[in-house]
Amino acid sequence: MSDQPAQIPEKPALEGLEAKWNDRWQQQGTFRFDREAAKARGVYSIDTPPPTASGSLHIGHVFSYTHTDVIARYQRAAGREVFYPMGWDDNGLPTERRVQNYYGVRCDPTLPYTPDFVPPFEGGDGKSSKAADQVPISRRNFIELCERLTEEDEQQFEHLWRTVGLSVDWSQTYRTISDESITASQRAFLRNLARGEAYQADAPTLWDVTFRTAVAQAELEDRERDGAYHALAFHGPDADVVIETTRPELLPACVALVAHPDDERYQHLFGTTVRTPLFDVEVPVLAHRLAQPDKGSGIAMICTFGDVTDVIWWRELHLPNRTIIGQDGRVLDRETDWISTPAGRTEYDALVGKTVFSAQKGVVDRLRETGELLGDPKPIKHPVKFFEKGDRPLEIVSTRQWYITNGAQNDELRSTLKARGAELSWHPDFMHVRYDNWVDGLNGDWLVSRQRYFGVPIPVWYPIDANGETDFDHPILPAEADLPVDPSSQAPAGFDESQRGQAGGFVGEVDVLDTWATSSLTPQLAGAWERDNELWDLVAPFDLRPQAQDIIRTWLFSTLLRSELEDHRLPWAHTTISGFIVDPDRKKMSKSKGNVVTPLGLLEQYSSDAVRYWAAAYKLGTDAAFDPQNPKQIKVGRRLAIKILNAAKFVLSFGERPEQAQVTDALDASLLATLADVVAQATRAFDAYDHARALEVIESFFWTFCDDYIEVVKERAYGAAGKAGRDSALLTLHTALDVLLRLFAPFIVFATEEVYSWTHSESVHRQPWPTEAEVTADVAHPAEASVFAAISDALITFRRAKTEAKVKMRTPIVSAVLHGAPERIERVELALDDLRSVAKAERIELAADGTEFAVSDVVFGDLD
RNA sequence: GGGCCUAUAGCUCAGUUGGUUAGAGCACCUCGUUUACACCGAGGGGGUCGGGGGUUCGAGUCCCUCUGGGCCCA
């Protein structure tokens, strides 16, 4: 089995192994995807999560990516050619923000390009960089800086991943903003459009006023905020109607009052109209099931638009759109034909240009003066919708946006998506519920247009008619062959750049696609969809999508959706969902909480194998508590890795693997039977995506192998019992070591490779996964695993006897009696000489008269 | 308010379809430097399995309920 004489260092150590072996793997293409091998042996393809290149990797990333790498290495050993690419998700808002802070700039698309632009500074921490201090630059300059910074970030990420020991094929790396990715994303979008799955609509849209972009349902989060109920008097024909609202500033946008249809208090008002305070606008009083009788006074004002319920009411009750908040979050200077009195318009004029906050103050002050605010506002805490990356509450504005159908308004598609979710193998299984919950809760199609800069341009232009009006209903589309396109800088076919913005000419779409609209295509990006059909057919659908639980609603769902729309199939067969890292107080690790732990220091201090061990010891889907001050499991991993080095050195020191020998000794045969069972269990666990169990089984065997087997067999391996006994022991030690290295290889990647290299020129990571048959191939007379277990337990009994007698372990025993259950004593008898040797016992009498092992009548000899 | 996960030794976690006396590592105590390893080894103490109720010959495991923690969705 060994193909070179053993070359073993004096003092094996973990330090430096990462750099040494990464260089070697890179040079030798150890993890290169081999297309011919893939055709011959079958592929295991992984749709790796592309980390956000502008973010920072924390210990949670190492945790989950290690899980995937462990699986990849098992599958590779099990005979499949593994397609394991890495992607960088560099497009989108996080990169824009980082560039703004890092270089002290901001994008102003109206500015011309500045060649050889030098940013005001590099490496800003973001805190000192206020928006007002940022230098405005052109879109092209801005994008160039985005490109520059993400490329630098990607190199650092790659270095970290290599240090962790990911067996990624680094020649298969992609970026979500590369020309190939833009082409794929635009192509997929154009096909959605051609099939009627993508469309534009002018509709109420959730809007972040800080970033001035639309956001999708998947990007929302609720946050508790202080608010106050303001009691407002609306004027009915007979009496005032009092409503309570948290958003009095939207009073001029009020289109109706609404109460629950069963609410006794308001039956007499349904069908009548009332007049709004201050603005004196006549609005109807309507009934709708979503009105909550127990909230406030039970009757609410509907405004366009205060929240998502307003949008539902507006749509279902067919109300007019009186939007007054603009995209900058300020009150619009607009026509207000519904405010019919000059006094009302004067009130409105006083609000124009104010932020939501100031407008509220203005309206409340005026209502106090007119006496239409009843009592003082009552403070409350209530959930307010935020963009998950934003820090101001979302507004709802009316804008033209692009959407992709997602099943929210199409029951057939929704049920197909649920069926696909059920076809997918989820690890752990219960994560499937989260997907179903999300699909069930979808309330609108996927809004994919974003008013940002560093993203995939939406590949459409719009004609401008003779009157100078833009015709959004008849977009001009590029041919697929012409992709990628940037409509804001390129003219569509048949037009000239001089016609941009001219009557009879065209205008380019300036919006970009939501980053998820591109990262929902990671299988297509990594698998060279429509670029390399042979590769695509080999790797797609993928075998595995590993990811985090918090993006089931975004990444997993949207990828599944795009695959369904394009190919009517699942994008992958399995998904593995890793838990996340929580701090010792069980709080999720996140930047905003300031409890993020960066991994490089830990990798350097404890070795990558140690950190990998920690990660791999956790099951999929389980959150892991982590205390950077005392990373116990990492320390355990470090000890294990060192132990592997030392144990291997010791095993190899007994001598070379004997030729043409057989395992004749019962204990040795038993050890190998035990190991064969370990192989079987580990294989079963891996096949069930339970790497933690595989590791546990392997590790626990390894410690017993070291503490008991090696100790027991030591003397015989030195030759104390003759050649046959020695050959049997040596053969067993070599076989066990060889098998153990391959079992540990997916987890402890550097130490196993180091050890394997002492006797082999090939990488352990390209060796086949061990089989049960292979482990026992040299056994002459099979023995049950229970022989080794019995010897092991009997040995512990002798050690205890020595401890209790307060003598040293190497104190000889002249004679002793070992009692035990008959069937166990029988097993011990098969390897009694080995037991005598390790117990330093001249004579052991066996007595099949007990239940547990016990020793009696011990006569100790003298030390030396 | 709805859904899902979770609660096992001081700590971090196992416990495979219900089945002997509930396991591991760390920490702790005692001992030991025998030619792999002091980044070590040997031995030991430590748990009414969150509370309550139920099903069963038998429950950490299944059911109900309460409490605490976490995540997702309203």
Side-chain angles (χ1 to χ4, degrees):
Chain A
M1 287 205 195
S2 58
D3 57 6
Q4 62 185 46
Q7 298 164 340
I8 306 169
E10 248 340 92
K11 183 102 180 145
L14 297 176
E15 282 65 33
L17 294 187
E18 290 89 352
K20 171 181 174 184
W21 288 108
N22 271 312
D23 284 353
R24 204 74 59 89
W25 294 335
Q26 174 71 2
Q27 283 162 22
Q28 299 181 347
T30 308
F31 305 121
R32 186 78 46 84
F33 176 70
D34 181 337
R35 197 177 288 208
E36 296 311 311
K39 287 183 203 163
R41 297 191 277 129
V43 180
Y44 188 85
S45 48
I46 301 172
D47 180 19
T48 315
T52 303
S54 54
S56 55
L57 291 175
H58 58 73
I59 192 73
H61 291 101
V62 172
F63 182 72
S64 56
Y65 280 73
T66 297
H67 292 164
T68 306
D69 184 59
V70 165
I71 295 167
R73 286 175 187 269
Y74 166 70
Q75 293 292 347
R76 193 177 290 117
R80 290 152 198 128
E81 186 63 17
V82 172
F83 183 70
Y84 189 9
M86 178 61 73
W88 309 117
D89 192 14
D90 34 22
N91 101 57
L93 195 52
T95 298
E96 292 189 12
R97 281 212 287 194
R98 178 157 152 77
V99 163
Q100 287 176 358
N101 293 330
Y102 191 89
Y103 294 114
V105 297
R106 73 184 153 82
C107 181
D108 181 345
T110 63
L111 293 175
Y113 178 65
T114 310
D116 305 319
F117 172 75
V118 178
F121 54 86
E122 301 222 0
D125 59 4
K127 286 169 193 144
S128 56
S129 176
K130 287 185 188 141
D133 302 336
Q134 291 169 346
V135 176
I137 58 173
S138 74
R139 177 178 173 139
R140 190 170 147 199
N141 284 114
F142 188 73
I143 287 173
E144 280 178 1
L145 290 177
C146 290
E147 296 272 0
R148 197 164 114 195
L149 189 55
T150 50
E151 275 170 30
E152 286 173 20
D153 287 342
E154 282 158 18
Q155 284 174 16
Q156 290 192 14
F157 276 32
E158 181 173 333
H159 174 251
L160 177 69
W161 287 142
R162 284 183 185 272
T163 305
V164 170
L166 298 191
S167 61
V168 158
D169 177 356
W170 292 101
S171 67
Q172 301 285 347
T173 304
Y174 66 88
R175 315 175 65 210
T176 58
I177 199 67
S178 68
D179 282 353
E180 290 84 0
S181 294
I182 294 174
T183 300
S185 184
Q186 291 184 333
R187 185 196 310 278
F189 178 81
L190 289 174
R191 293 195 184 175
N192 290 137
L193 190 54
R195 291 190 297 259
E197 295 151 1
Y199 63 91
Q200 305 173 78
D202 199 338
T205 303
L206 289 156
W207 186 269
D208 186 287
V209 296
T210 306
F211 296 112
R212 299 206 187 178
T213 182
V215 302
Q217 186 186 353
E219 297 168 301
L220 297 185
E221 66 184 36
D222 283 355
R223 296 182 198 162
E224 283 291 320
R225 281 296 176 273
D226 291 324
Y229 272 132
H230 300 72
L232 271 48
F234 282 62
H235 311 300
D238 308 319
D240 280 356
V241 179
V242 178
I243 67 104
E244 294 191 72
T245 179
T246 56
R247 302 207 58 185
E249 70 278 15
L250 292 177
L251 187 56
C254 178
V255 291
L257 298 189
V258 66
H260 195 275
D262 300 336
D263 196 325
E264 295 294 339
R265 294 169 292 179
Y266 301 107
Q267 294 295 326
H268 66 288
L269 289 176
F270 293 143
T272 70
T273 62
V274 294
R275 302 194 73 81
T276 63
L278 214 55
F279 299 94
D280 200 27
V281 174
E282 184 172 6
V283 295
V285 181
L286 304 170
H288 193 277
R289 69 195 140 73
L290 288 181
Q292 296 179 14
D294 56 342
K295 205 168 158 187
S297 55
I299 188 163
M301 68 171 182
I302 304 176
C303 301
T304 52
F305 297 93
D307 61 23
V308 289
T309 317
D310 280 341
V311 176
I312 296 170
W313 281 328
W314 168 79
R315 192 186 299 129
E316 295 190 4
L317 299 172
H318 307 289
L319 296 165
N321 186 339
R322 296 173 182 166
T323 298
I324 61 159
I325 303 295
Q327 300 183 0
D328 54 0
R330 292 170 186 271
V331 177
L332 286 169
D333 185 4
R334 60 163 292 178
E335 281 180 35
T336 53
D337 51 10
W338 65 90
I339 301 178
S340 49
T341 66
R345 178 63 207 197
T346 305
E347 297 289 351
Y348 185 81
D349 284 339
L351 303 175
V352 166
K354 285 190 190 311
T355 62
V356 168
F357 181 81
S358 320
Q360 178 174 112
K361 192 169 177 308
V363 168
V364 169
D365 286 348
R366 286 292 299 134
L367 286 168
R368 274 214 177 89
E369 288 168 22
T370 63
E372 288 166 308
L373 178 72
L374 306 178
D376 284 326
K378 283 177 287 184
I380 55 158
K381 292 232 181 237
H382 63 148
V384 176
K385 295 217 177 307
F386 280 72
F387 174 37
E388 60 187 355
K389 295 186 171 69
D391 38 33
R392 289 165 73 186
L394 290 172
E395 291 297 333
I396 296 173
V397 302
S398 279
T399 54
R400 182 188 58 82
Q401 301 285 345
W402 281 95
Y403 294 83
I404 290 177
T405 181
N406 65 1
Q409 292 163 30
N410 177 337
D411 288 342
E412 196 186 332
L413 178 57
R414 195 195 291 259
S415 58
T416 304
L417 291 169
K418 298 236 349 226
R420 290 277 182 252
E423 280 173 44
L424 183 61
S425 293
W426 297 77
H427 309 285
D429 194 50
F430 64 76
M431 291 292 179
H432 180 200
V433 179
R434 301 193 182 194
Y435 171 85
D436 277 350
N437 288 347
W438 173 251
V439 177
D440 286 336
L442 284 168
N443 57 29
D445 277 340
W446 180 12
L447 196 166
V448 292
S449 43
R450 293 290 183 278
Q451 291 66 49
R452 302 304 309 171
Y453 316 110
F454 192 53
V456 173
I458 296 177
V460 300
W461 297 263
Y462 308 99
I464 300 179
D465 67 18
N467 302 323
E469 293 289 317
T470 304
D471 178 7
F472 289 110
D473 294 335
H474 300 93
I476 305 164
L477 307 178
E480 285 193 14
D482 295 334
L483 300 177
V485 298
D486 178 7
S488 67
S489 65
Q490 290 169 252
F495 289 85
D496 189 81
E497 191 55 39
S498 67
Q499 293 171 275
R500 184 181 294 273
Q502 304 299 314
F506 70 93
V507 63
E509 173 64 73
V510 295
D511 287 358
V512 298
L513 288 166
D514 175 13
T515 55
W516 294 111
T518 301
S519 45
S520 61
L521 298 166
T522 50
Q524 284 83 349
L525 305 186
W529 176 59
E530 298 280 326
R531 257 190 308 126
D532 181 343
N533 290 336
E534 185 185 73
L535 181 64
W536 176 247
D537 289 341
L538 269 173
V539 300
F542 281 57
D543 289 275
L544 179 64
R545 155 58 72 88
Q547 66 162 73
Q549 55 188 309
D550 54 341
I551 52 175
I552 290 174
R553 63 177 183 162
T554 46
W555 194 38
L556 189 144
F557 171 73
S558 63
T559 310
L560 202 149
L561 171 69
R562 299 306 282 288
S563 178
E564 175 57 34
L565 295 178
E566 184 64 34
D567 294 320
H568 302 292
R569 69 182 185 193
L570 270 180
W572 349 265
H574 298 269
T575 185
T576 49
I577 313 286
S578 294
F580 39 59
I581 302 303
V582 295
D583 67 17
D585 300 327
R586 301 211 76 86
K587 292 276 176 283
K588 183 178 169 181
M589 210 165 264
S590 71
K591 240 186 203 169
S592 55
K593 293 198 182 73
N595 58 357
V596 169
V597 177
T598 51
L600 211 49
L602 290 165
L603 294 170
E604 282 164 2
Q605 186 177 355
Y606 296 102
S607 88
S608 294
D609 280 341
V611 176
R612 291 176 62 99
Y613 169 86
W614 159 75
Y618 285 88
K619 293 184 295 190
L620 290 167
T622 303
D623 295 346
F626 183 73
D627 180 2
Q629 299 309 315
N630 186 20
K632 289 178 189 168
Q633 286 295 113
I634 292 181
K635 291 179 181 172
V636 173
R638 178 174 172 81
R639 280 225 312 280
L640 174 65
I642 292 171
K643 187 83 172 175
I644 289 172
L645 294 175
N646 285 321
K649 180 185 165 200
F650 190 45
V651 164
L652 295 173
S653 74
F654 288 114
E656 291 188 10
R657 183 189 181 89
E659 299 293 328
Q660 291 172 339
Q662 281 205 308
V663 174
T664 52
D665 187 276
L667 180 73
D668 300 340
S670 174
L671 185 276
L672 292 176
T674 308
L675 180 54
D677 188 47
V678 166
V679 168
Q681 288 185 58
T683 305
R684 223 179 297 131
F686 261 125
D687 285 339
Y689 287 83
D690 190 353
H691 58 261
R693 176 153 183 81
L695 174 58
E696 189 192 336
V697 168
I698 295 160
E699 186 193 1
S700 112
F701 173 84
F702 175 68
W703 285 108
T704 315
F705 171 74
C706 290
D707 294 344
D708 295 347
Y709 180 76
I710 294 183
E711 292 300 325
V712 170
V713 87
K714 217 187 246 182
E715 293 301 321
R716 186 151 52 82
Y718 282 131
K723 186 176 185 312
R726 178 165 194 256
D727 280 356
S728 179
L730 279 184
L731 196 50
T732 305
L733 285 166
H734 276 270
T735 299
L737 176 63
D738 187 85
V739 169
L740 276 166
L741 288 177
R742 282 181 285 147
L743 290 174
F744 272 128
F747 306 99
I748 311 293
V749 303
F750 295 104
T752 54
E753 184 73 319
E754 171 68 13
V755 167
Y756 202 75
S757 75
W758 295 340
T759 50
H760 299 76
S761 56
E762 288 187 338
S763 168
V764 72
H765 299 299
R766 278 292 180 178
Q767 302 310 310
W769 186 250
T771 63
E772 290 176 77
E774 169 198 349
V775 175
T776 52
D778 297 320
V779 172
H781 311 292
E784 289 175 29
S786 55
V787 175
F788 173 58
I791 290 293
S792 190
D793 287 349
L795 171 57
I796 288 168
T797 310
F798 276 97
R799 281 173 180 155
R800 190 187 298 125
K802 288 187 177 180
T803 297
E804 282 167 4
K806 301 211 161 158
V807 301
K808 300 191 175 191
M809 284 302 139
R810 61 198 161 105
T811 305
I813 291 172
V814 176
S815 67
V817 182
L818 177 68
H819 306 267
E823 65 277 8
R824 301 211 82 195
I825 289 291
E826 216 172 276
R827 306 284 191 283
V828 169
E829 203 165 8
L830 291 170
L832 187 58
D833 287 346
D834 286 325
L835 180 62
R836 281 180 42 239
S837 146
V838 69
K840 315 258 184 261
E842 222 164 284
R843 207 160 61 84
I844 296 176
E845 234 174 84
L846 297 177
D849 59 359
T851 48
E852 294 296 296
F853 281 131
V855 284
S856 67
D857 307 285
V858 188
V859 179
F860 291 107
D862 292 329
L863 260 175
D864 297 327

